[in-house]
Amino acid sequence: MPDHPEGSPAEPSSRAAVQRLLASVGNPALERLAQLASRLLAAPSSQVSLLADVPTADDGTPAPPEAGPVVGATGLRSPLQDQVCAVTASLGAPLVVADARADDRLRDLDVVADGRVRAYLGVPLVGKDGHVVGALCVYDAQVRAWSTDDVLVLTDLAASAVAELELSALAVEYEADRVRWQLAVTAGEVGSFDWDLVTGALAWDDELHAIFGLEPGTFGGTIEAFDACLHPDDRARVAAALQDAIDRVAQYTAEYRVVHLSGAVRWVKAKGMALPGPDGTAVRVLGAAYDTTTEREADARIARVLETMQTAFFLLDDAWRFSYVNAEAERVLGRTRGELLGGVIWDLFPLSVGSAFEEHYRGAVESGAARSFEAYYPPPLDGWYEVRAHPGPDGLSVYFHDITERRRLEERWTAALAEADAATSRLALLATVSEDLSSTLDTEYAVGRLARHVVRHFGSWALVTLWDEGRHLRDIAGYHADPARRRAVARYTQLRLASLSPTSFLHRALRSGEPVVITDATAAVLPLLTGEAREVFAALAPRTGYALPMRARGRTVGAISLFLDDGHPDLSDEDLALLVQVADRAGLALDNARLYEGQRRMAETLQRALLSAPAQPDDLEVAVRYVPAARAAQVGGDWYDAFLQPQGSTVVVIGDVMGHDRHAAAVMSQVRTLLRGIAATTGGSPAEVLRALDAALDTLRVDAMATAVVGRLEQTPEERAAGTTRFRWTNAGHLPPLLVAPDGTVRELRAPRPELVLGVSPGNARTDSVVELPRGSTVLLYTDGLVERRGAHLQEGIDALAELVAELAPEAQARATGAATLDAGFLADAVLARGAAGDAPDDDIALLVVHLGLQDGAGTNG
């Protein structure tokens, strides 16, 4: 700052004195205030910056202040932050910035541009003479909105900082021979006293009179008059502090309450020094005092904040003693302040020694870095706590929250999830077993896979046994979790039933239909075995066994034998119940397979009985195939036929009566018989035969609708000599035949226009189509079960069949023997095996393949 104007006192300003003194000695109290500001406002960084003297510009106005030394800071800082503090000081009012990059006053500062300061809250430090001496600020590298309470708290802390600055400056400038005058001049509003211990005279300056609420010159001038000004509760403590300083010829410090004549109570803080006489004993006490009521009110506000927090808080000093405890900490810790304050945490809470609490508290103090953790404290607290420990100048600040209920909820939730996982696992096993049992017609193979499933979920090794209607037992599968022992289980599977006693646990489960638990399985089962089976079982040496019958519809169809080796726990009640469900599903699948297979055999026998063997002329090879639908007892109306007409021509037929039941099969037999009779007696062309068949169905009142292709292989002597044959056909709403040329190419045989199915209109016109076939040609007639697939267009299936036949034709030609140039039977089998029908068709399939071989001599297709 510039010198005082002419005529004013030449003493340095209070700010200049503070600057010189604090720049040289620093101030731990300000550092603590900065730390406290950071903690209370939850800001990662804070600091107290002091400013250099303000220069005067050419026009006489003050230039912007420059940042001076930093006396208290937390977090990472550099002198660049002082630029922002200088802005705060120049304003002379709080600077509140949520985002410095959006603030015209700050956005161009380097510290803002490089991202070190985004959110900023600063309060100027104003001395008693009205001059700004610095700034107290907190800042963050993230955008943040500051509340009104944040500003008030920082303002209160700034007042404490100013008071601390003034007291520190007073102490530093103190000189023994000028204490009474220099302290008052330097700090302002700081009174001084001089107590002559020899005479007992106690002298006060005017400022101290004002602090004690007295008019200048009215103080009594004795230590008794001083005591009379004190609050009664503080007199003994202050007297003890003074006596201690006198006895030790040492410093005196005290903070106490003063009762003014008006009754107002103010807080005063005093510091002094006992000075020795020639003999070394104290003869004088010099000191100064200032009003700390504002500071106390700020402390009270902070205390109120701490007291009203929902989070428990305590402060440990350097000796691990409780120096502050808020109300929530009293509740959570189960002790009063009187019991806690001054006590050592390791003594009051001995179970914390060696625990996570001690590890993190000591670690935070040693490293200077905050620690956050969750830990359990045994009874009497018996609770889980979320803890944050922050080391600082005043000691270790500990915030902790009781999370016992949350942890219990988490444990219950974890248990519920585990139960849900177990339920999901059980459902997954049942779903897997069900899928295995339903994904193939070979139910016995699927049931055999149960051995793997039950071992993976329940035990060490298992066997699956079937019990047929003749009461014959058969082990169909065995599996061990240990690959090295699977050969032994397989051997035991081969030997067991032949050597097992009728009193065995397996027989007991089969007869009773109830699960049987075999404790001490090796000792219990060995007496029931003979020969090599006994030796193999002894080597396997299971600890516990279970025999579970597979039941369905009141009858037992087999059993699952499960064994547990040493180290595998016994099944729980839930596991055993689940295993029973698995066995029941397997039993039901086996029984369904038995019923299905019986009905399927019955239906297939009926269907095949309705279809006769095809005619086999010398110059033709005719192959027919019939595949019933996968659904049991669902006989259908698909049929094929091949026979000779009186003139020697070969007639081939494929047809499909609508429906899939016994009625459809019966109608198919009628339609097939009528068509065969009409063609054989009339010798008519395919179109003539179908016209007559329509009329016969109408006359005989046969309730039938059917599709059909009727074809006739014709040949004149001239055509025979030329090696060609005519194929005449008509199509009543059926799928087009496929023609395989001698070179293996495949095409559809389609009539010029489609014609109605049979049984719709007895007067419907029928027309023949004719194509000339060279010898070596092949014609395929088929029903829709071969090409029709759910979700796909019918023509896509026909195209796929044509591609398959073209792919198979070369191999069928390579297998031909004799006069044939293509093996019709191989082609028929290969189409069914590799075609879309698969091993479980949804519809019947009828297939007729006729191949024109090479002619030698007289033929029959005249």
Side-chain angles (χ1 to χ4, degrees), residues 375-449:
Y376 171 76
Y377 194 92
L381 298 187
D382 190 21
W384 278 89
Y385 300 93
E386 180 182 28
V387 184
R388 298 189 303 279
H390 298 269
D394 297 324
L396 185 67
S397 299
V398 179
Y399 302 82
F400 61 105
H401 183 62
D402 188 336
I403 58 170
T404 305
E405 186 60 29
R406 189 196 81 190
R407 290 294 294 236
R408 287 173 179 165
L409 289 174
E410 289 175 353
E411 290 171 0
R412 289 198 289 270
W413 179 247
T414 300
L417 288 178
E419 179 60 29
D421 288 343
T424 301
S425 178
R426 292 193 290 269
L427 292 174
L429 173 61
L430 292 175
T432 300
V433 170
S434 299
E435 183 179 358
D436 265 5
L437 297 174
S438 61
S439 62
T440 175
L441 292 178
D442 191 348
T443 306
E444 184 173 311
Y445 167 76
V447 171
R449 286 173 55 87

Side-chain angles (χ1 to χ4, degrees), residues 739-758:
L739 172 61
V740 185
D743 63 1
T745 58
V746 180
R747 67 185 179 93
E748 299 176 19
L749 295 180
R750 289 190 177 272
R753 63 181 180 85
E755 297 185 0
L756 292 176
V757 300
L758 297 169

Side-chain angles (χ1 to χ4, degrees), residues 71 359 490 584 690 729 731:
V71 296
E359 174 192 348
D584 287 345
L690 287 190
W729 85 95
N731 190 332

Side-chain angles (χ1 to χ4, degrees), residues 319-610:
W320 301 103
R321 294 187 298 261
F322 286 93
S323 59
Y324 178 80
V325 179
N326 73 353
E328 181 65 9
E330 285 186 286
R331 186 190 68 79
V332 174
L333 296 179
R335 294 172 184 258
T336 65
R337 282 185 173 89
E339 295 175 287
L340 293 169
L341 292 177
V344 176
I345 186 172
W346 317 124
D347 297 336
L348 294 174
F349 298 94
L351 296 179
S352 62
V353 177
S355 70
F357 295 95
E358 182 181 24
E359 174 192 348
H360 288 289
Y361 289 170
R362 293 191 184 276
V365 171
E366 292 170 3
S367 66
R371 294 284 187 97
S372 296
F373 63 97
E374 291 183 6
Y376 171 76
Y377 194 92
L381 298 187
D382 190 21
W384 278 89
Y385 300 93
E386 180 182 28
V387 184
R388 298 189 303 279
H390 298 269
D394 297 324
L396 185 67
S397 299
V398 179
Y399 302 82
F400 61 105
H401 183 62
D402 188 336
I403 58 170
T404 305
E405 186 60 29
R406 189 196 81 190
R407 290 294 294 236
R408 287 173 179 165
L409 289 174
E410 289 175 353
E411 290 171 0
R412 289 198 289 270
W413 179 247
T414 300
L417 288 178
E419 179 60 29
D421 288 343
T424 301
S425 178
R426 292 193 290 269
L427 292 174
L429 173 61
L430 292 175
T432 300
V433 170
S434 299
E435 183 179 358
D436 265 5
L437 297 174
S438 61
S439 62
T440 175
L441 292 178
D442 191 348
T443 306
E444 184 173 311
Y445 167 76
V447 171
R449 286 173 55 87
L450 280 177
R452 292 174 179 262
H453 292 313
V454 298
V455 166
R456 287 170 182 162
H457 286 81
F458 301 109
S460 303
W461 57 286
L463 305 175
V464 177
T465 307
L466 296 188
W467 197 20
D468 61 24
E469 295 180 351
R471 290 298 186 261
H472 297 117
L473 293 176
R474 183 161 50 94
D475 281 337
I476 64 170
Y479 186 78
H480 201 295
D482 183 358
R485 311 190 78 181
R486 288 173 189 167
R487 181 174 296 180
V489 171
R491 183 58 179 161
Y492 183 65
T493 304
Q494 297 171 349
L495 300 170
R496 176 175 75 148
L497 295 179
S499 64
L500 195 61
S501 167
T503 61
S504 70
F505 298 100
L506 173 64
H507 287 88
R508 188 190 309 173
L510 291 170
R511 287 193 299 268
S512 67
E514 298 294 332
V516 175
V517 180
I518 312 168
T519 57
D520 196 8
T522 300
V525 174
L526 281 179
L528 305 175
L529 294 170
T530 61
E532 184 184 355
R534 180 186 176 94
E535 298 174 3
V536 176
F537 189 82
L540 290 168
R543 178 179 53 80
T544 306
Y546 300 85
L548 298 103
M550 295 188 292
R551 295 181 54 80
R553 300 181 178 90
R555 60 188 297 270
T556 302
V557 296
I560 298 172
S561 301
L562 175 69
F563 296 96
L564 311 179
D565 293 342
D566 286 338
H568 199 296
D570 290 343
L571 299 185
S572 65
D573 293 341
E574 291 80 4
D575 287 338
L576 186 58
L578 177 60
L579 191 54
V580 169
Q581 290 186 59
V582 170
D584 287 345
R585 293 202 179 195
L588 185 61
L590 284 169
D591 199 50
N592 287 342
R594 177 184 62 81
L595 296 174
Y596 167 82
E597 196 59 34
Q599 295 183 28
R600 180 182 173 87
R601 284 196 299 269
M602 177 187 69
E604 189 171 349
T605 299
L606 172 63
Q607 186 81 3
R608 293 189 185 282
L610 299 175

